Amino acid sequence: MCPSSPTSSNNALSTAVIEAIAKEMDVDPTKLPEQLYDVIDPDSLDSLFTSGNPTDGTVTFAYCGYTVTITADSDVTLEE
């Protein structure tokens, strides 16, 4: 597993996922082989753990050959 650092309040979860995958693949985020919106709705992902929503839980999905897990703490973990 490859954990990334928690996202800041200014950094959307969708952006954190793209950056984590790009870093792991050692490519520019614009050069990823798959678009995030083809896998999951980025707007829904960004609002998933915002105030008013549950403060615990996880979401897991496949993206660019990795299993991406995001926690309510905004931790992004990649697993091949």
Side-chain angles (χ1 to χ4, degrees):
M1 273 195 216
C2 305
S4 73
S5 57
T7 59
S8 72
S9 58
N10 296 342
N11 197 6
L13 286 174
S14 58
T15 302
V17 169
I18 292 167
E19 290 173 351
I21 294 284
K23 181 177 178 182
E24 188 66 24
M25 295 179 79
D26 195 27
V27 298
D28 186 273
T30 62
K31 303 291 185 197
L32 290 174
E34 190 172 18
Q35 297 296 317
L36 183 61
Y37 59 76
D38 288 336
V39 175
I40 194 167
D41 179 356
D43 292 332
S44 295
L45 182 62
D46 293 342
S47 65
L48 189 61
F49 297 118
T50 58
S51 64
N53 288 332
T55 57
D56 62 350
T58 62
V59 63
T60 302
F61 57 94
Y63 178 50
C64 289
Y66 293 88
T67 300
V68 179
T69 301
I70 303 171
T71 67
D73 297 341
S74 299
D75 290 326
V76 177
T77 304
L78 307 177
E79 188 174 344
E80 287 188 284

